[in-house]
Each structure stands twice: as C-alpha cells, then as structure tokens.
Amino acid sequence: MSHLTPPRQLPDGDGDVNPDADGDTPPGESSADTEPSGPTSPARPTRPGWFGWRRKFPRVGEGVRIGTTVLAAVLVLVALLIPNRLDRLTLESFFRIPVEAVFLAAVLLVLPAKPRRITAVVTGAFVGLSAILKCVDMGFYQTLARPFDLVFDWVLLSDAADFLKDSFGRTGELLAVIGVIVLAVAVLVVSALAMVRLAEVLARHRPVAVRSTLVLGVAWIICFTLGVQYGGVTVATKGYTQYLANRVQYVRDGLGDAEVFKKQLPVDAFANTPSDQLLTGLRGKDVMLTFIESYGRVAIDDPSMAPEIDKTLAEGNARLKSAGFAARSGWLRSPVTGAGSWLAHSTFLSGLWVKNQQRYRTLTTSDRATLTSYFQKTGAWRTVGIVPGVRKSWPEGKYFGLDHIYDSTHLGYQGPYFSWTPVPDQFSLEAFQKLEHGKKNRDPIMAEIILASSHNPWSPIAHMIDWKDLGDGKVFYKIKKEGTNPTEVWKSAKRVRTEYRKAIQYSLDSLTQWMQRYGDDNTVLVFLGDHQPVPTVTGGTANRDVPITIVARDPKVLAKVSDWGWTEGLKPAANAPEWGMNKFRDRFLTAYGPQSG
C-alpha cells in the first residue's frame, strides 16, 4: 500500500490544486485536460487563494470572483457595443443584444480546453484592438468628420506628435506617447484576460451556459425579425460585424485607389498648350492665390455666426469698393473637412481630387502641372509662396512651381505664436508687401499665400492694429496676453464657435485692408477657404463647401468670368454655383487663356 496520501481538496474558489480556472474540471472534459496528480505525479503544494486570503475571507473571495466575472462580461460587451462616433454614444446603445456575443459564446462552449483558451486570448485581444480603433475613430470624426484610415492615416500620427511637442514641449510629447502606448497594451491585455475569464466560466457551468446561449440566440432572432427598438436603437444588433465589414471594405478601397489615381494623373487638357498661350488674360497682373484656413460655409450660413460674418463681409466689400475694386463669389466643395489643408491646396492647384495622403505623395512626386507651375511655365511671373504655417523643410514647394518660399522663419517675425499659428495674418501680408509686392522695378508676381490665424484651436487670436505699428511683430506679445486661454475656450462648444468666428473675421479684415492699402490696377486677389472647421463648429454637417472670391480693379478681369454665375461681392449667394475644388484649375485656365489680350 502506498504511504502517499492525496492532498486534501479545497472548496471551489479557496485554493484547490486543479489548475483550471477556479478549481473544478469542467463538465464533459476528461482529466487529460488537467495536470495529473496521484502516486505517479505528486501534487505540488499550493497556497490557498492569493497568499491565503481567500481561505481566511471566503465571502470576500467569492465576491471578488463574481465581481471579476461581471466586470469581464461588461468589458467585452462594451467593446462590442460601443459606437465609433461620440454623437452616437448613448446609454441606450449599451442595452442591446450583440449577435457576435451569442455566436462567440457558442463557439467557446464547443471547444475543448486548450483550443478554447487560445481562441479566447486571440479573440479578446482582437476585440480590444477594435475598441482602440473605435476610440481613434471618435477622435477623427471630431476633427476630420471621418474614421481613421488604416491605409493612409498613419502619417498623421507623426503630425499629432509634432503638435504635442509644439504645445507641451519635448518632455510632454514623450510622456504622452509613452502613456498612449502603455494604455493600448493594457487594453489588449485586459480584454484578452477578460475573454479567458468568461470562457472558463462558460466551461465550468456548461449546462446553464448552453441554455442561456440558446435563449439569447432565440431572443436575438425574434427581436431582429420584429425590429424591436428601445430608446430609438434596435435591441438586436449586428453592428460589430458591420463595423468590421466596413473596415475591410475601406481598406480594400484604399489599396485599389492608388491605381485609380495613377490613371488620372496624366489626363491634363493644358499639358500641351504652348507657354505663350497660357494665362494671357492676366499678363502684367499680380495674382494672389490666397487660402484662409478653415473658412467654411458654416461661417456664412450658421445663424449664430452669420450676422457678425455678414457685417465683416459687407464692411470689407465697402472698403474694396472705395478703393475701386469689385468682387465675384461662389462655392467650392473641398475634399476634406476639419483638417488636411494640404490636400485641399493640392486639389485646388492640381485639378485632381486629392483626398488622402497617398494621392498627395503620388501627386507631388509626379510631373503633373499645377496652376502655380503653369504661371511659372509662362516665364511672365515671379512665383513665390508665403507659408507662415510651415515650420520645417517643405520639399513639396518645388513641385508646386514656386521660385521662392517664405516660411515662418523668413518673414521677419519676432513676436509670439498664437497657439498653433506661428505668424498672425496681418503680419504675413505686410511681410509679403515688404519682401515682394512693394519692390520697385520688379516683374509681375504670382503668390500662393496660406494664411494661418484661423487655424484650430482659434485661441488666443490676434486682432487688427495700425499697419504702421507692426514692426517686427513684438507688439503681438501684449495682444496675445490679452487673448483667451484655449484650455478654457474648449470647455464650451459655444465659446469655440465664437472664437472661430472671430478668427475668420480677423483673416477677412487682414485681406481686405491689405487690398485697400496696397492693391492697384494690376492686383488680382483670389481667396478661398480650404475646408470646413471641425464638427464642434459645424455641428456635424456633411457639407464641405467653402467660399471663393475673385477681387480685381480692372473690369476686364471679372468680365472673363461673367459666365460663371458667381455672386457680386464678397458673400456668395446660397444658390451660387457649387463646383468640386478640383474643377477650378481648368475653368480658371480656360477663362484667362489661351486667348488674345
């Protein structure tokens, strides 16, 4: 007879030696799924519970076990049910039956121990990963009114890191990046552990789990068939599956988009036009192609902003008229909203729909001519870029056909940043006057000017001062100190909208005052918004229209676009023509050449 005695078995949850979950061998599984014990393999002594406390406090241990299981279930259900948009995040959206949970429970119930654990770990990590992606989508919807693009948007993460560095310094950027990485890893690990926990509970209580799964499955079918709703949302949902399907389709479309765009690149109606026939209707004129950051249709149409913007446009129009200028305005539809200005700029200049970073890179490494490079091609203009928002190397500038580029470090500005904005618009325009436009005995200029003061977060913002007092920009230190704090502003959507409106007014005043002060018979100004502002300002509208205006003193300039149907003045009418932003280049080149005079 053996002198070895099997170790005493402890109650479930109080430190038993069986390695499966909380102690019991799941019904229907053989002992082969567990570690052997007995005379041939002596059981290893173990401490009861976590350092013995579960034996000492059995009720607390039972509560912890149940609480952990409930938390695991809640975590998985939240990950499956949470939408990827903040405007769809409601309490009712979490009181639904996800078909994916029913299906997953059925799969875990039929699998043996080892495959069950592997499936639980992989599935849990995947659900956690999708939850992270949904959270990223929320941020993108709040800024770009679209989800994160798994093919094209990775480059934007480096831009986000640069934004953190500019806002909080190198240390703040590093801490934020480390925090995000740690949080992401934690979500993946916790979601995997939660799924393993639930899988083990299902296995231990197989009869009850099978019945419950069948009941939930039948309930889902009935609710789905009848379209049962609660609080405006459907009770039976397959939203997670649909979300994944949309994601897969989004990726497939993105991967195929490169070939589509490459076929569009060489199609150019003006590629073979002789240089002496290009832009003949503007010869001898100084042409300013000017973008106002985030100047979208909402600024003109929204009732909470329209009165003040209308007043600014009316005053600007009167200011221009007093200087002998006239204007015509219409609408363009931008390829982006909320952000992505460079995509809008390249769409406007290239005549192609540049909707993502891959298209932008393909475009800027091609020989596709842009509106600015056609000006350069004629040899009749000196082409310059005034880009105060550029703070580092911008090699793409050469692609756009600019003879010289003035970034934020080459405008002579010695004043403070206004949040993201390196140089206030009024100073940028005055610098253009001193560096290029105001020179005597010069060639005509074509300038691409990208104003930055109306860039998010619109706080603090500069205000107009006497042009003679601009100096080197140090006067703006006092103006910035008098401005608003972005942290406080962004606590209220109403205050954000107010600051946005003030920023647009400042940009418009800067432009119209510059034209009144420095414009002449040979000055032609084309100014437009690049995209609508973020959804916090637009209210989530899908409209992507931006205003565009042509200003000139020479009546012949506006006569050449008289058949466009644009509205007289700086404010386009609600029913003014709306074109895709990619259509402007060819219409502009057609209107001003090839022709005589």
Side-chain angles (χ1 to χ4, degrees):
M1 175 179 290
S2 172
H3 296 287
L4 295 177
T5 304
R8 182 172 61 89
Q9 299 294 312
L10 300 176
D12 177 32
D14 285 325
D16 42 41
V17 297
N18 194 315
D20 191 303
D22 289 336
D24 297 334
T25 300
E29 293 186 13
S30 69
S31 59
D33 292 329
T34 62
E35 292 184 9
S37 63
T40 58
S41 179
R44 291 170 294 182
T46 60
R47 285 177 295 191
W50 298 331
F51 305 103
W53 73 270
R54 295 179 69 179
R55 173 186 289 178
K56 296 178 182 178
F57 308 101
R59 291 185 179 180
V60 175
E62 182 69 8
V64 170
R65 184 176 67 83
I66 295 174
T68 304
T69 302
V70 171
L71 287 176
V74 170
L75 177 64
V76 172
L77 285 175
V78 167
L80 292 175
L81 291 172
I82 191 171
N84 66 334
R85 296 178 56 165
L86 285 176
D87 57 347
R88 295 178 181 174
L89 189 62
T90 62
L91 183 62
E92 291 81 6
S93 62
F94 295 101
F95 289 91
R96 297 184 292 170
I97 306 174
V99 69
E100 299 82 10
V102 178
F103 177 77
L104 183 59
V107 170
L108 293 175
L109 281 169
V110 301
L111 290 174
K114 188 173 182 179
R116 184 182 70 238
R117 293 190 185 99
I118 295 173
T119 301
V121 169
V122 173
T123 306
F126 182 80
V127 169
L129 182 63
S130 64
I132 293 173
L133 182 57
K134 286 182 179 180
C135 291
V136 175
D137 282 350
M138 290 181 189
F140 269 68
Y141 271 114
Q142 287 300 105
T143 55
L144 303 177
R146 63 170 178 81
F148 179 76
D149 193 318
L150 287 166
V151 178
F152 304 120
D153 283 342
W154 296 105
V155 66
L156 298 182
L157 298 182
S158 64
D159 293 335
D162 289 341
F163 177 81
L164 289 172
K165 183 172 66 175
D166 294 337
S167 302
F168 307 107
R170 180 64 179 174
T171 301
E173 176 199 12
L174 185 61
L175 291 175
V177 170
I178 292 174
V180 169
I181 294 174
V182 170
L183 180 61
V185 172
V187 169
L188 295 178
V189 172
V190 170
S191 59
L193 291 175
M195 192 68 75
V196 169
R197 177 74 178 183
L198 294 177
E200 291 172 346
V201 170
L202 290 174
R204 286 201 312 274
H205 306 286
R206 189 182 301 276
V208 175
V210 169
R211 289 194 296 269
S212 299
T213 302
L214 288 173
V215 170
L216 286 174
V218 171
W220 187 92
I221 293 172
I222 293 173
C223 291
F224 184 79
T225 303
L226 298 179
V228 178
Q229 292 190 347
Y230 168 75
V233 298
T234 56
V235 173
T237 176
K238 54 178 181 177
Y240 185 75
T241 301
Q242 188 61 53
Y243 172 76
L244 295 180
N246 290 341
R247 276 288 166 194
V248 171
Q249 187 60 46
Y250 211 65
V251 170
R252 291 179 61 185
D253 291 344
L255 294 175
D257 183 67
E259 292 301 318
V260 173
F261 190 65
K262 286 181 180 178
K263 292 179 181 179
Q264 297 172 351
L265 268 176
V267 181
D268 185 351
F270 295 88
N272 297 319
T273 302
S275 60
D276 61 354
Q277 295 183 35
L278 288 168
L279 298 159
T280 54
L282 291 172
R283 296 298 172 102
K285 306 293 185 186
D286 294 318
V287 182
M288 300 165 58
L289 303 177
T290 306
F291 294 94
I292 297 180
E293 171 68 34
S294 299
Y295 179 31
R297 185 163 188 159
V298 66
I300 292 175
D301 286 356
D302 190 277
S304 66
M305 292 182 275
E308 290 85 356
I309 295 294
D310 282 352
K311 181 180 178 181
T312 297
L313 291 173
E315 290 175 350
N317 202 54
R319 191 177 293 130
L320 292 172
K321 279 189 174 181
S322 69
F325 291 96
R328 297 291 184 274
S329 300
W331 302 105
L332 297 180
R333 186 176 68 259
S334 176
V336 293
T337 185
S341 300
W342 63 96
L343 303 181
H345 301 166
S346 53
T347 294
F348 179 81
L349 297 173
S350 70
L352 295 172
W353 196 250
V354 186
K355 61 181 181 179
N356 56 52
Q357 191 66 17
Q358 178 174 274
R359 287 191 170 206
Y360 178 77
R361 288 179 172 176
T362 302
L363 173 69
T364 54
T365 54
S366 72
D367 58 0
R368 167 82 178 191
T370 64
L371 184 55
T372 44
S373 64
Y374 273 130
F375 272 97
Q376 185 186 55
K377 181 181 177 180
T378 66
W381 282 273
R382 170 174 164 78
T383 60
V384 299
I386 306 295
V387 287
V390 174
R391 288 171 278 181
K392 55 185 179 181
S393 176
W394 187 46
E396 295 93 336
K398 293 182 178 180
Y399 163 75
F400 288 106
L402 301 175
D403 295 326
H404 192 81
I405 296 173
Y406 298 92
D407 60 21
S408 61
T409 62
H410 294 90
L411 294 174
Y413 183 67
Q414 300 297 318
Y417 277 29
F418 282 77
S419 192
W420 184 91
T421 307
V423 186
D425 290 351
Q426 186 183 9
F427 191 95
S428 296
L429 291 169
E430 178 68 11
F432 168 61
Q433 174 65 21
K434 292 179 178 179
L435 296 169
E436 291 287 345
H437 188 266
K439 289 182 177 179
K440 296 181 179 180
N441 302 318
R442 59 169 176 77
D443 293 332
I445 298 170
M446 189 294 303
E448 179 188 358
I449 303 174
I450 304 176
L451 300 179
S453 287
S454 51
H455 193 287
N456 183 338
W458 310 301
S459 174
I461 54 174
H463 60 72
M464 296 299 297
I465 61 175
D466 193 306
W467 292 81
K468 296 179 181 178
D469 295 336
L470 287 171
D472 61 1
K474 291 180 180 177
V475 66
F476 285 101
Y477 276 106
K478 180 180 179 182
I479 295 174
K480 179 181 180 179
K481 190 175 295 185
E482 296 169 350
T484 53
N485 186 323
T487 303
E488 294 299 318
V489 167
W490 278 83
K491 292 179 180 179
S492 165
K494 182 178 180 180
R495 290 195 66 185
V496 171
R497 293 160 67 83
T498 298
E499 296 304 302
Y500 164 78
R501 184 256 301 165
K502 290 180 179 179
I504 295 298
Q505 288 179 284
Y506 171 70
S507 297
L508 290 170
D509 283 339
S510 297
L511 262 180
T512 55
Q513 286 191 28
W514 186 92
M515 283 292 286
Q516 180 188 37
R517 184 178 179 85
Y518 297 117
D520 56 32
D521 291 346
N522 290 323
T523 306
V524 177
L525 169 65
V526 180
F527 74 91
L528 68 151
D530 48 15
H531 54 70
Q532 290 262 54
V534 297
T536 303
V537 178
T538 64
T541 178
N543 187 290
R544 296 190 175 190
D545 289 354
V546 297
I548 180 169
T549 300
I550 298 179
V551 181
R553 184 181 286 174
D554 186 347
K556 294 180 181 179
V557 173
L558 295 182
K560 295 182 184 300
V561 298
S562 59
D563 60 343
W564 285 5
W566 284 17
T567 308
E568 183 177 350
L570 301 183
K571 178 184 176 181
N575 61 349
E578 175 199 324
W579 306 337
M581 191 174 280
N582 58 320
K583 302 297 182 182
F584 180 82
R585 189 202 73 156
D586 286 7
R587 289 178 182 266
F588 189 83
L589 289 171
T590 299
Y592 294 105
Q595 58 191 331
S596 60

